[in-house]
Amino acid sequence: QVQLVPSGGGSVQAGGSLRLACAASISAYNMYWLGWFRQAPGKERERVAAITRRGTLDLADSVKGRFTIAKDNGKNTLYLHMTSLKPEDTAMYYCAAAQSRDVLDTTPLGQGTQVTVSS
């Protein structure tokens, strides 16, 4: 069963940092693609960062240089390290897993964790 439980969201001021974590079931963690998405009210979901089983990274232009994605194989956990946060980063953040990036981009999102950045 594919299960993904994100955590670590919160409220920070602009310029601050947060680390999100996503605890994944073994079946989810073993998918080829793992990724983080976000969705703000009234906006479409955006793939923020993704990582393949081989460690290839894919970051959205809007977060390059500020966010990094990493995973801990010993803990079946995916991380999103966010620095230099901006008010426009405010959104609900979700993690997802899929065998292909196309499927990753359309897979239903479950539980999220809220990130709020104040100016």
Side-chain angles (χ1 to χ4, degrees):
Q1 188 175 2
V2 175
Q3 290 187 328
L4 298 151
V5 182
S7 63
S11 296
V12 296
Q13 291 194 330
S17 300
L18 280 174
R19 186 185 76 164
L20 305 184
C22 176
S25 63
I26 292 176
S27 57
Y29 196 81
N30 286 336
M31 294 282 189
Y32 191 76
W33 282 93
L34 298 173
W36 286 97
F37 291 81
R38 66 186 179 187
Q39 189 165 23
K43 294 188 177 181
E44 293 187 357
R45 81 191 224 177
E46 175 189 15
R47 174 165 29 87
V48 175
I51 184 169
T52 70
R53 190 184 303 147
R54 297 182 179 182
T56 301
L57 307 182
D58 185 3
L59 294 170
D61 289 342
S62 58
V63 304
K64 282 180 181 177
R66 301 189 299 121
F67 292 12
T68 58
I69 185 171
K71 55 181 183 171
D72 186 330
N73 294 335
K75 297 182 179 179
N76 289 354
T77 300
L78 179 71
Y79 298 98
L80 184 68
H81 299 267
M82 307 185 292
T83 64
S84 301
L85 282 161
K86 304 175 181 180
E88 51 264 43
D89 295 318
T90 295
M92 188 70 77
Y93 283 71
Y94 305 86
C95 48
Q99 293 288 38
S100 71
R101 197 169 69 177
D102 287 346
V103 175
L104 184 72
D105 286 346
T106 57
T107 192
L109 301 175
Q111 179 181 344
T113 186
Q114 177 69 37
V115 172
T116 302
V117 184
S118 58
S119 58

